[in-house]
Amino acid sequence: MTRSWEAEYGPAGVCINAVALIRLSRTEVTKSMGEMLDTFAAASPLGRAEEPDEVAHVIAYLAGEQVRPITGTVLAVDAGCVSAL
């Protein structure tokens, strides 16, 4: 969908990007997982779960003017898990 929208709206100067949360991050919803979230997160290359503000910084970066050449991209926020496979 990201690439399709980029093709449709890109000519009008709109940049379309997406953030894919590949794993669980620490939120109010995942708080109910208790220590199980920490156990899953420990298996990642970073060894911890992403914090909401970290994900928000990634989104803010992609929304900024400095990344206008980046469009039609899905950025995986996965603490290195996909590359570690």
Side-chain angles (χ1 to χ4, degrees), residues 24-74:
L24 298 172
S25 63
R26 194 171 306 283
T27 65
E28 288 298 316
V29 173
T30 60
K31 197 182 277 189
S32 66
M33 293 178 66
E35 291 181 18
M36 191 166 43
L37 176 62
D38 294 326
T39 301
F40 288 142
S44 77
L46 288 183
R48 61 176 180 79
E50 292 84 15
E51 298 294 332
D53 64 326
E54 294 173 315
V55 177
H57 287 300
V58 172
I59 294 168
Y61 173 73
L62 284 176
E65 288 294 318
Q66 67 273 23
V67 295
R68 293 212 35 94
I70 299 172
T71 187
T73 297
V74 177

Side-chain angles (χ1 to χ4, degrees), residues 2-3 5 7 9 16-19 23 28 32-33 36 38 56-58 63-64 69 72 75-78 81:
T2 303
R3 289 188 177 168
W5 284 0
Y9 299 108
I16 304 291
N17 293 300
V19 173
R23 6 177 281 131
E28 288 298 316
S32 66
M33 293 178 66
M36 191 166 43
D38 294 326
H57 287 300
V58 172
L75 183 60
V77 176
D78 66 356
C81 287

